[in-house]
Amino acid sequence: MANFIFRVLLILVFSYLCNRVTGKANFKEIDEKLKQLNKPAVKTIQGEDGDIIDCVDIYKQPAFDHPALKNHIIQMKPSFDLKEEKLSLKNESTKLAVFQTWQRSGSCPEGTVPIRRIRREDLLRAKSVQQFGRKPPEVVLKSNTTIEHKDGQLPSINTTALAMPVIVNRSAATLVTVGYNYIGAKADINVWTPNVEAQDEYTTAQIWLKAGPGDNFESIESGWIVNPQLYGDKRTRLFAHWTKDSYKTTGCFDMTCSGFVQTSSQYLLGGSIEPVSTEFGQQYYLTVGIYMDPNTANWWLKIGKDIPVGYWPASTLLFYLNHSSTLVEWGGQVYSSNVKKKPHTKTGMGSGQFASGLRGNACSMDNIAIVDFSMQLKYPQWVGTWADEQYCYTALNYQEGYGKLPIFYFGGPGQNYNCP
């Protein structure tokens, strides 16, 4: 009898451990997903940060698993050049750029692209295998809120009001422009590593280009992120993301699904970046630009000194963004089930300090610009600042002096005395 009870207990413990280890997915499902995600490597690099980077043949990257891209011909470089237009920007002081950690350990040969290897533990952290690599769907209230003119927005900078949906599982602090057809946007994004309280939360500093109806919009995005659930640590990382149905069922981060076509062997989507800025110390920046090629409708991601990383092929992947973006946002976003409620998450945005701290204390975006069909980089004609929770995270567009472009500051600590 004792042996029988012991065997039953062993079975129950084993069953419990299996369920605990595999979460909502079984090992077979996970292994099939890993086989789908990880392509054969021409060369493998072990990064100092623990990442494994596979140098994959450019024609065998995940993008071509997408049914609409089966016969896609790779555009190896953009057919446009915006370098001359950059002379019109006035905040061109010398900035210290970041690099990616893996670059110290090696490089990928020509004809290959670096892809961060996905491991079993990465999938086990996800809420489900199907949800892996995606931004969680937005939980939206029916009522909208209007962006208002904010203190710190100089009268010389035109502002406009627009309705923004109330999203209960995200909190954002952004600079917004709307009302025109935009085919590009850029910024020098100040790089920090804010606190992320829980594994299933994340914080970003990024650019969004959007088009389409509010409840089913398309969006292409890039910037830096701290996302422990996706990456397994709290390092600051370069990311890219897309969706064609407001994060419901399509799109993903980086190369964790088919869609983004990478062409560069220099940059790793999802790769950690360093150094990061310190309070009132050295400041570091990541330059991000997203531009539509007017000849192909491909949306190119450029990083650093105008290096093309790859593109989203809008003509086959997207619908509204096949023509242009109608809304551009710069700023930060915190994802958590504990925003807009008490107790509030302690996950920080930007530097973790409020926008009023300004340079060296708050996270900033400098040299903000849009591109329209004139193919010129220029400051948006109409902008507005917005913060979902102004006692938790703030936004401030600040002009330091005459003849200089405004610098956008954003961020906050999350939970504090005024944001309990």
Side-chain angles (χ1 to χ4, degrees), residues 336-348:
S336 171
S337 58
N338 294 316
V339 294
K340 301 171 185 173
K341 64 165 63 172
K342 298 179 183 179
H344 195 281
T345 179
K346 295 178 182 177
T347 291

Side-chain angles (χ1 to χ4, degrees), residues 18 80 168 251 309 344 361:
C18 283
F80 63 93
V168 300
V309 176
H344 195 281
N361 181 255

